[in-house]
Amino acid sequence: MREDWAGSGVDLHLEWHLELPAQGGRRRALEEALRRAVREGRLPHGTRLPSSRALAAELRLSRGTVSAAYDQLVAEGYLTTRPGSGTEIAALPPRLPAIGPATSTPAISPPAMPIPAVSRNAPATRSRSAAPEPESVPVHDLRPGQPDLSAFPARAWMRATRHVLDTAPAAVLGPCDPRGRIELRTALAAYLARTRGVRTTPDLIVVTTGFVQAINLLAQVVEGPFAMEDPGHDFYREVVRRAGREVVPLPVDELGARTGALASDVAAAVVTPAHQYPMGVPLHPSRRLALREWGGLIVEDDYDGEFRYDRRPVGAFQGTAPEQAVYCGTTSESLGPGLRLGWMAVPPALIGPVTEAKRYADAHTEVLGQLVLARLIETHAYDRHIRAARLRYRRRLELLRARLPHACLPGVAAGLRALLLLPSGGPPEAEVLAACERAGIALRPASPLWHGEGRDGLLIGYAAPSERAYPRALEALASTLARREPRARPARSTG
């Protein structure tokens, strides 16, 4: 039987766990208090929450603050809403143990859920760079996959590097745990919990050279087919295939991946819940729930989760299913792909096999960069860089939409690139790309992102140019597209 918090007289004492700042941040404090109450079991599945008006009155908050907090937690999968039933606590997997001191060896717990079989004869495929070395530098570089490299926080990186070299013992340059330096794993566990709602410990984090290596390692140790979004990143599909795994399409529509279509014989589903690549939509709360109920291994590619411009970013899916999901992130779109720094938050049942695969892949990720990134995170220099970048890229997306008012640019305001779907009846993708190339504009075609026959379109990486170069690149693109627009046929004479 469901409990009605307000009607049954149950007092959850939320105010005891709610530290409200004098100004600002009150919604975030409420969200975090509710998350903790759900995770700790004080708000069990099926509990009906009070109305936004009632909770606002009890906590002396505005109704808008409570409503916004409810909406955020519905989007993240902690709450559900049903017409006529109000807001209820969603079903979550068992609790993850609290973060404790890190140890030098992986802590492997018995699986709390059935996981795919681990391969004993995994192919020894090595990961490779996601982008080939360019033959020449285009006049207007609008290729997706990298940030504005001229905005790299060079001074902060140099300060952190000096600190590391001045203070770190010589032993740090010796052999390293395959999972990565404990300094970075500790910093990441705290940072990801604070900014993305990830539930993990330093022992369960593996530092990688990026998502390419992460998906490669998983494809080596997890047996069975991998479901990958359709459309989705074609290079990652090839990485999984070359590791010897079958790839099956997971269709995507305006609500994100159609998770209800996942078959029971699929070993793992690779998804982009915060911002689907390339359609740009977040995974709908009902689809998140279906993904948890499916019960298989979920690989969450949170490639640009920090970059949401119209609202607070939706929290990571992993936060609601830590023993079911592998959370993956990188610095490729925040700092630059050349750093080759990424991370995986792995369920306890897979940390041993993944660590072993990483050991034989490349022993460990380069150490100095790990320590410098840890220092940036600890001093909040990384947060400051993300905030500045978020403002910069939001302005660029606004300029793109304003300059191309009639273009079909699906998705929410987020990320570092936009998908432009070409109109039917107009010039085909190859012709538009050739015209862009003649104008010195480098883009990426969209059609290869579909598993089968794809739609004609362009991927526009509006983050890639420098601040000075972006207006010129945007103007060149708009002018080139205007010349390729389908022209209306003249009306026939009726005289």
Side-chain angles (χ1 to χ4, degrees):
M1 179 181 294
R2 294 193 181 100
E3 292 180 351
D4 187 329
W5 173 18
S8 66
V10 176
D11 190 353
L12 297 173
H13 301 293
L14 256 187
E15 68 277 7
W16 295 357
H17 305 272
L18 191 62
E19 298 179 3
L20 293 178
Q23 294 182 345
R26 298 164 75 84
R27 185 186 77 182
R28 180 170 296 189
L30 176 59
E31 291 170 8
E32 186 53 36
L34 287 168
R35 285 191 196 96
R36 285 199 304 269
V38 174
R39 291 172 178 171
E40 294 169 3
R42 290 183 288 111
L43 284 177
H45 166 50
T47 299
R48 192 167 68 186
L49 295 182
S51 68
S52 57
R53 186 188 302 276
L55 185 58
E58 179 161 340
L59 298 179
R60 298 181 181 178
L61 298 171
S62 72
R63 186 180 181 187
T65 296
V66 176
S67 296
Y70 278 6
D71 290 344
Q72 178 74 14
L73 296 178
V74 167
E76 293 180 6
Y78 288 91
L79 307 180
T80 60
T81 58
R82 297 176 184 174
S85 299
T87 304
E88 298 178 352
I89 303 302
L92 295 182
R95 291 176 55 193
L96 187 71
I99 293 179
T103 62
S104 59
T105 57
I108 305 176
S109 303
M113 48 154 278
I115 64 168
V118 176
S119 174
R120 295 180 180 179
N121 300 304
T125 304
R126 298 290 293 267
S127 63
R128 62 181 67 184
S129 170
E133 190 71 21
E135 296 180 0
S136 60
V137 178
V139 177
H140 306 296
D141 191 354
L142 290 172
R143 290 172 294 188
Q146 70 179 37
D148 178 358
L149 299 180
S150 69
F152 180 82
R155 291 184 178 178
W157 189 269
M158 289 174 63
R159 284 194 299 269
T161 302
R162 289 194 204 99
H163 175 85
V164 168
L165 294 176
D166 287 343
T167 61
V172 301
L173 298 179
C176 176
D177 186 318
R179 293 171 298 169
R181 289 293 308 182
I182 186 60
E183 295 89 344
L184 179 56
R185 290 187 283 122
T186 301
L188 283 171
Y191 173 79
L192 295 174
R194 172 169 56 85
T195 63
R196 302 297 296 127
V198 172
R199 298 163 63 191
T200 190
T201 70
D203 285 340
L204 298 176
I205 290 179
V206 177
V207 179
T208 67
T209 59
F211 185 72
V212 173
Q213 183 175 64
I215 193 66
N216 187 284
L217 294 176
L218 290 169
Q220 290 184 47
V221 304
V222 176
E223 290 186 339
F226 276 54
M228 303 186 74
E229 291 173 329
D230 183 15
H233 207 302
D234 52 332
F235 185 83
Y236 299 155
R237 292 200 297 268
E238 185 61 21
V239 170
V240 172
R241 289 193 183 103
R242 291 190 179 215
R245 302 298 169 217
E246 178 189 359
V247 172
V248 298
L250 176 58
V252 171
D253 59 22
E254 66 278 3
L255 300 181
R258 290 168 51 189
T259 51
L262 284 166
S264 59
D265 62 341
V266 168
V270 184
V271 293
T272 51
H275 187 219
Q276 202 279 328
Y277 186 96
M279 299 303 292
V281 295
L283 188 61
H284 191 271
S286 65
R287 302 277 176 88
R288 285 187 170 226
L289 179 61
L291 191 58
R292 287 204 305 269
E293 292 176 343
W294 170 62
L297 182 70
I298 294 104
V299 182
E300 178 175 14
D301 179 9
D302 197 34
Y303 65 100
D304 63 0
E306 299 103 332
F307 296 102
R308 182 75 186 260
Y309 310 130
D310 58 342
R311 55 164 290 170
R312 275 196 60 209
V314 175
F317 171 85
Q318 188 270 0
T320 65
E323 301 207 14
Q324 186 183 0
V326 178
Y327 174 88
C328 301
T330 80
T331 60
S332 292
E333 299 209 355
S334 58
L335 294 173
L339 293 178
R340 308 312 302 149
L341 282 171
W343 47 85
M344 309 164 66
V346 182
L350 280 179
I351 188 62
V354 169
T355 301
E356 183 179 10
K358 170 67 175 174
R359 184 195 309 275
Y360 285 101
D362 60 3
H364 58 78
T365 303
E366 181 269 333
V367 168
L368 184 59
Q370 294 187 56
L371 295 174
V372 173
L373 178 59
R375 177 65 179 174
L376 287 180
I377 294 173
E378 291 164 357
T379 61
H380 299 290
Y382 189 68
D383 291 78
R384 292 190 290 272
H385 171 73
I386 292 294
R387 284 196 297 270
R390 194 157 44 221
L391 291 172
R392 180 166 55 251
Y393 300 143
R394 183 185 69 185
R395 290 193 296 266
R396 293 191 186 190
L397 177 57
E398 290 171 351
L399 287 173
L400 175 66
R401 289 179 167 177
R403 191 62 184 84
L404 303 175
H406 303 298
C408 179
L409 300 170
V412 297
L416 278 66
R417 53 102 196 105
L419 171 64
L420 188 156
L421 294 174
L422 295 174
S424 59
E429 180 184 87
E431 183 178 325
V432 176
L433 283 170
C436 289
E437 185 176 358
R438 289 192 296 271
I441 306 167
L443 297 161
R444 185 176 176 197
S447 58
L449 302 178
W450 273 262
H451 288 233
E453 183 178 355
R455 295 188 60 179
D456 282 359
L458 307 173
L459 275 179
I460 304 169
Y462 53 81
S466 67
E467 284 288 279
R468 180 176 297 181
Y470 180 65
R472 294 193 299 270
L474 181 55
E475 185 58 36
L477 175 64
S479 300
T480 302
L481 293 178
R483 291 193 294 269
R484 313 309 299 179
E485 287 180 353
R487 298 179 180 178
R489 296 180 179 178
R492 293 183 179 179
S493 172
T494 57

